[in-house]
Amino acid sequence: MPEPTVWPFSECEAHPGDALAAHLERVAERAASSIAPGARPEIAAIAFVAGLFHDLGKATPWFQHYLRGTGRRSALSHHGELGALLAWWYSAELDWPLWQRLALFSAVRRHHGALRIQDWPMLLEQSRAEFRDRESPLRTQIQALDETGIAAWLAEVAARHPERSLITAPETPTLERVEARLRGRDVGGSKLRHAYRELDEALATLAGFGALLAVDKTDAALQGASLARQALPVDAVASYKAKVLTGRDATVGPAMTLNQRRERIADTLSATWLAHLDRPLLTFTAPTGAGKTLSILHGALQVRARLAERHGGMPRLIYCLPFTSVIDQNHAVLRDVLRANGLPDREDLLLKHHHLSESRFRTENTEHEADGAGQLLTETWQSEIVVTTFHQLLHTLLSPLNANLKRAGQLTGALVLLDEVQALPLRYWEALRQIFMGLARVGDVRIVLLTATRPLIFQPGDAVELLPDHGEHFRALNRTRLHLHHREPLTLDAFAVRLIAELGRAERPTLIIVNRRRAVRELFDALAEALPERPLVALSTYLTPRDRRARIRLIQRLQRQGRPVIVVSTQLVEAGVDLSFPVVHRDCAPLDAVIQSAGRCNRHGEMGEGLGEVHLWQLMTTPSDTRAPEPLWTRVYDRPLIEVTLDVLGEAEYWDECDFLDLSERYFLGCRSRQDQQRVDEQLARGDLAGIEREFRLIEEIPNVSLFIRRTGRDQRLWDAYRALYDDPALGPADQERRFRPWRRAFMERVIQIPVRSGADLERDEVNLLDAVPETYDRAAGFIDLPPAEATCIL
């Protein structure tokens, strides 16, 4: 090992031209201040001390030479583990419990890597084992530190921040003292292994860790600058309604129009929420088409203002939905509300974040590009209102990846609104209940579950219902009748014949929802041949995202024109898509999905006193020589959910919308009794993020290949750029990803996912090219088939 040479701490830099001491204190201050005032104080304490130590390992001469270009990267220039050992040494003098010290150690140790470990203490055990090696670079690094300079700086920081309860006269971090702390009796044997006892401690660890990650990365990207928080008008929704919402107001109940009922719902929600400001768990149960999006935004803006008056900090609004197609629609509504109040389209005010989002981030003075700070600002949710997916929200806590965990600090103090919450898998209900309750206790998070079909995630007494008279609204909004035909199964071919006959007799706009993408294609082809004069639209994920959006716009335009459009779709139209038809046909599905489908029928009461028709069928595959017919719901939904649905629907010929609330309550009770619970909350309490990564799935994954649909000259240019980028041997994965970011959204909006057999020849880890020729893909219904040489791999 080379002889250690001390580099004066006061002359060390974190980045070129950025003094290390200033960077460490700046990150510490900002990380701690990013934690909401009402969160557990341990979180801000972890964030602050982690900020002080996260780059302290850069104070070695080897890193300083490397930074200045006079030395090469080596084991001696690494800084994460050294900083973590120094944090462990320092925290022994603090009055902290063992779990909090481990949280600090983990945050510093892994701020440049993933937390793929079995449990939290293992990181420390790994470093202790390495430190016992007398030839370890860590020992050499410690001996080369300016120990006196570091101790003096820590004392100065403590004097500048008396509120942090730091050590005013710390010892110097000598090799002997660090080694003694690592051998300390308090970290031996079973005591270390059982340092984490509660979910709350794990959540506090992730929040502190996330705050450090977010601030450290954005501080470097913004070169020490920070973003200012933005004000939002409390009356934004009321102003928007007064300026924008006009037109026909259907009467859907005795002496009350639909808009009047929506206003009453919004007023009740806000009054109830303000009266229960300290209750963190809430539900908002309202019929489909009752204006949930605007009502919850109105209430959340009022609560945000009241909490800001109380605590001085402004809660972020995090609006979560299950699907990207719904996110785009709801984001557009929120954007229109802000525009109507004179607010510009800027990401520091309203941010959309999912896997297809652009990463450009605009503030009042700057536009940050996707291949620079824009990506970090987007991924760390530096906005007042964030519209995102359930996946992005839950993987902020249930993931070992820094790309996800760096949002965890932003959850503290937030108003988290989960819309269409029935889409969360039933097997995780109890785990999510425990995690949500933990976030409320630890992070001062307020969580609202929004739905027309409320699942039993919260137990009686857990939450406040923001619309306590929701039963009255369900009974009054009687817009549809659910006709039950499911007890007589029909093959898809027989259903097509029956449907064609009905559509030929009555030219009414009609929505048909089936459970499989191939069924959409087969019905679409049959209807197109039999009814060539009728406008016909298909919707499924066999269409590219950009073509799906174009199809939805086409449907809305045809409806405005009064055309009798026929739509054949998969379940993607069930939740949140603002389409309404007088007639809906639904293939057999779990009851909550059936009720959500009914929400696409007479949604705005446009039929006046008349009832929209929803027809429930049980469709079967067409029998063949090799395969017996099976219901189309198999391999899509779990059998117990269908069994409970059939039990609840019983032998009735029909149910009216006013019965849906009672039906859904009986359905969810039956589901809860039949579904084993997967306790990812218990894995999280142990710090088993690696196990969670293996086992936690919001959507069941099946083997897929990605196909890029090449149809136009623009498509060809995107494909050529993609191949040139990823075929370039001179570029590493990080450089490829960075260069891909500015046009990633445009590229991915031309990609579809196709299931394949396990032995398929197609490459699954990359995107494959599919030319949009008539035999393979068309804009009307999407994917048709692969070229003959590859077609055998399709399920």
Side-chain angles (χ1 to χ4, degrees):
M1 289 290 181
E3 290 296 322
T5 302
V6 174
W7 193 291
F9 180 71
S10 60
E11 298 177 13
C12 291
E13 293 183 345
H15 310 98
D18 187 8
L20 178 58
H23 170 73
L24 295 174
E25 190 170 357
R26 186 172 65 243
V27 169
E29 290 174 333
R30 291 178 179 174
S33 63
S34 73
I35 302 301
R40 276 180 58 164
E42 294 96 325
I43 301 176
I46 293 168
F48 189 88
V49 180
L52 291 180
F53 282 86
H54 77 287
D55 278 352
L56 191 56
K58 291 181 176 181
T60 66
W62 297 281
F63 183 88
Q64 293 302 311
H65 279 298
Y66 163 73
L67 185 67
R68 290 161 171 78
T70 57
R72 293 185 297 178
R73 183 181 289 276
S74 69
L76 288 170
S77 66
H78 295 171
H79 69 278
E81 191 165 10
L82 175 59
L85 291 178
L86 295 173
W88 183 260
W89 152 78
Y90 182 80
S91 65
E93 298 186 52
L94 298 170
D95 186 21
W96 283 13
L98 185 55
W99 75 265
Q100 193 175 353
R101 294 185 64 202
L102 282 170
L104 170 66
F105 180 89
S106 300
V108 178
R109 176 70 180 84
R110 301 302 294 169
H111 75 281
H112 284 303
L115 278 173
R116 284 194 172 94
I117 54 174
Q118 182 63 34
D119 52 52
W120 311 107
M122 281 190 64
L123 271 179
L124 180 62
E125 288 287 16
Q126 291 171 1
S127 292
R128 292 172 75 186
E130 181 176 345
F131 202 81
R132 284 194 291 269
D133 180 359
R134 293 292 169 180
E135 300 300 317
S136 168
L138 290 169
R139 304 175 72 89
T140 304
Q141 287 177 308
I142 289 177
Q143 294 179 76
L145 293 173
D146 178 6
E147 302 158 352
T148 303
I150 291 173
W153 168 72
L154 287 171
E156 293 169 1
V157 171
R160 284 192 290 271
H161 300 278
E163 76 285 358
R164 299 294 174 192
S165 301
L166 301 174
I167 303 162
T168 56
E171 298 176 333
T172 55
T174 63
L175 176 64
E176 293 75 17
R177 285 170 176 159
V178 173
E179 189 170 25
R181 298 281 162 79
L182 287 173
R183 291 199 309 262
R185 295 179 181 177
D186 63 330
V187 295
S190 61
K191 189 167 185 180
L192 179 60
R193 289 195 297 275
H194 295 94
Y196 278 80
R197 301 181 304 277
E198 300 176 356
L199 176 64
D200 290 12
E201 294 167 353
L203 292 172
T205 295
L206 293 180
F209 183 33
L212 169 67
L213 293 177
V215 172
D216 181 38
K217 294 180 184 300
T218 55
D219 181 83
L222 298 176
Q223 299 179 329
S226 63
L227 296 185
R229 295 296 303 273
Q230 302 296 312
L232 295 174
V234 177
D235 60 348
V237 175
S239 177
Y240 165 75
K241 289 179 178 178
K243 294 177 181 177
V244 176
L245 294 187
T246 58
R248 181 182 176 186
D249 188 7
T251 300
V252 295
M256 186 178 291
T257 67
L258 182 57
N259 281 345
Q260 287 171 337
R261 189 167 296 280
R262 287 168 173 165
E263 286 304 305
R264 178 173 156 185
I265 288 171
D267 291 343
T268 302
L269 179 150
S270 297
T272 306
W273 199 349
L274 290 171
H276 296 84
L277 206 58
D278 293 322
R279 291 292 298 272
L281 304 180
L282 310 116
T283 58
F284 176 33
T285 311
T288 57
K292 288 194 297 294
T293 301
L294 292 178
S295 294
I296 197 65
L297 177 62
H298 178 61
L301 289 173
Q302 294 190 52
V303 168
R304 166 185 154 104
R306 187 71 61 84
L307 291 173
E309 291 174 2
R310 177 187 291 187
H311 297 301
M314 292 185 291
R316 298 182 194 276
L317 274 56
I318 302 175
Y319 196 121
C320 309
L321 292 136
F323 312 117
T324 56
S325 57
V326 184
I327 284 179
D328 291 340
Q329 176 179 286
N330 284 45
H331 174 269
V333 172
L334 301 182
R335 182 193 59 209
D336 290 345
V337 170
L338 297 185
R339 283 177 175 174
N341 285 268
L343 296 175
D345 288 343
R346 295 201 325 247
E347 283 70 27
D348 62 344
L349 292 169
L350 174 64
L351 174 69
K352 178 170 60 176
H353 181 221
H354 55 72
H355 74 288
L356 291 179
S357 298
E358 292 183 5
S359 295
R360 182 182 59 165
F361 195 100
R362 292 164 295 181
T363 66
E364 184 176 6
N365 300 315
T366 309
E367 182 171 316
H368 302 281
E369 296 301 329
D371 57 349
Q375 179 83 2
L376 283 170
L377 296 173
T378 297
E379 291 180 347
T380 54
W381 292 352
Q382 304 288 331
S383 183
E384 302 307 321
I385 306 176
V386 179
V387 188
T388 189
T389 61
F390 291 167
H391 180 278
Q392 297 291 350
L393 172 72
L394 294 176
H395 281 77
T396 297
L397 303 169
L398 301 173
S399 168
L401 302 179
N402 281 12
N404 296 321
L405 295 177
K406 63 190 176 189
R407 293 187 290 274
Q410 303 292 64
L411 291 178
T412 63
L415 306 180
V416 178
L417 316 173
L418 290 99
D419 202 350
E420 308 293 358
V421 72
Q422 75 282 346
L424 289 169
L426 191 152
R427 64 185 175 276
Y428 297 126
W429 281 3
E430 183 57 31
L432 293 176
R433 173 176 177 257
Q434 296 299 330
I435 290 171
F436 292 157
M437 293 171 71
L439 283 173
R441 290 189 301 266
V442 171
D444 193 32
V445 184
R446 285 160 177 79
I447 297 169
V448 188
L449 307 186
L450 297 80
T451 183
T453 52
R454 184 174 68 199
L456 299 180
I457 295 175
F458 291 152
Q459 296 297 300
D462 287 348
V464 170
E465 169 57 52
L466 292 177
L467 189 62
D469 60 345
H470 60 274
E472 174 191 334
H473 297 289
F474 275 89
R475 289 187 293 271
L477 286 176
N478 200 35
R479 296 161 292 180
T480 61
R481 174 166 289 174
L482 174 62
H483 300 269
L484 304 178
H485 315 283
H486 63 284
R487 288 181 287 272
E488 299 178 7
L490 285 176
T491 65
L492 193 60
D493 289 345
F495 175 66
V497 171
R498 190 164 179 170
L499 198 58
I500 289 167
E502 178 186 324
L503 292 169
R505 288 192 300 268
E507 290 198 349
R508 295 183 295 176
T510 301
L511 171 63
I512 305 145
I513 304 175
V514 293
N515 292 323
R516 298 188 186 179
R517 293 179 290 187
R518 283 191 176 275
V520 170
R521 181 84 226 188
E522 291 176 30
L523 275 179
F524 178 85
D525 289 343
L527 293 172
E529 181 178 355
L531 303 167
E533 75 288 351
R534 292 285 296 274
L536 176 65
V537 179
L539 283 174
S540 81
T541 53
Y542 272 175
L543 285 157
T544 64
R546 69 193 291 258
D547 284 345
R548 285 203 303 272
R549 283 203 309 277
R551 299 293 94 187
I552 291 174
R553 290 194 299 269
L554 173 61
I555 295 166
Q556 292 169 335
R557 184 167 66 251
L558 290 170
Q559 289 186 323
R560 287 194 300 270
Q561 295 169 354
R563 304 280 299 282
V565 60
I566 303 169
V567 177
V568 187
S569 177
T570 57
Q571 306 91 313
L572 66 84
V573 298
E574 279 178 359
V577 178
D578 192 13
L579 296 173
S580 183
F581 296 81
V583 181
V584 173
H585 294 272
R586 181 59 168 100
D587 191 6
C588 189
L591 185 62
D592 59 321
V594 173
I595 293 175
Q596 290 293 332
S597 298
R600 307 316 115 192
C601 182
N602 196 20
R603 180 176 178 85
H604 304 294
E606 55 266 29
M607 297 177 67
E609 296 295 330
L611 291 178
E613 299 176 23
V614 182
H615 298 271
L616 182 66
W617 307 87
Q618 181 156 200
L619 303 182
M620 311 288 289
T621 58
T622 301
S624 67
D625 295 337
T626 58
R627 182 173 296 180
E630 65 177 10
L632 293 185
W633 58 258
T634 57
R635 293 186 285 164
V636 178
Y637 299 114
D638 293 336
R639 181 174 294 275
L641 303 184
I642 300 295
E643 292 172 348
V644 175
T645 297
L646 300 182
D647 288 344
V648 171
L649 291 177
E651 298 300 318
E653 293 184 9
Y654 65 84
W655 292 98
D656 286 341
E657 183 184 7
C658 58
D659 302 311
F660 288 177
L661 180 63
D662 176 62
L663 291 175
S664 66
E665 289 174 349
R666 288 161 50 196
Y667 166 74
F668 284 124
L669 280 171
C671 290
R672 185 70 184 247
S673 66
R674 295 192 186 205
Q675 176 69 61
D676 293 334
Q677 294 294 297
Q678 190 166 337
R679 298 300 299 273
V680 290
D681 59 308
E682 295 175 350
Q683 290 176 284
L684 181 58
R686 297 193 302 271
D688 184 12
L689 292 175
I692 292 173
E693 184 180 37
R694 291 191 303 270
E695 299 172 16
F696 179 67
R697 296 287 185 271
L698 283 180
I699 300 173
E700 290 298 325
E701 295 183 353
I702 58 175
N704 282 306
V705 293
S706 299
L707 300 179
F708 180 89
I709 308 301
R710 181 171 61 185
R711 187 166 48 83
T712 67
R714 165 71 166 153
D715 301 340
Q716 180 66 57
R717 291 190 293 274
L718 283 168
W719 177 254
D720 291 344
Y722 172 81
R723 288 303 348 153
L725 182 62
Y726 285 93
D727 289 343
D728 188 343
L731 295 176
D735 288 331
Q736 289 171 336
E737 174 61 23
R738 179 178 57 80
R739 296 190 183 189
F740 186 41
R741 282 175 194 158
W743 44 278
R744 181 180 187 276
R745 179 182 181 183
F747 184 89
M748 296 304 296
E749 287 198 329
R750 292 160 168 82
V751 172
I752 60 173
Q753 303 290 327
I754 299 298
V756 297
R757 296 189 187 279
S758 58
D761 294 331
L762 293 174
E763 293 291 336
R764 297 184 194 170
D765 295 333
E766 64 177 46
V767 181
N768 300 269
L769 177 66
L770 182 69
D771 278 313
V773 297
E775 295 78 19
T776 62
Y777 184 92
D778 66 69
R779 291 195 70 195
F783 175 75
I784 301 170
D785 211 341
L786 286 176
E790 299 167 344
T792 55
C793 70
I794 296 296
L795 282 173

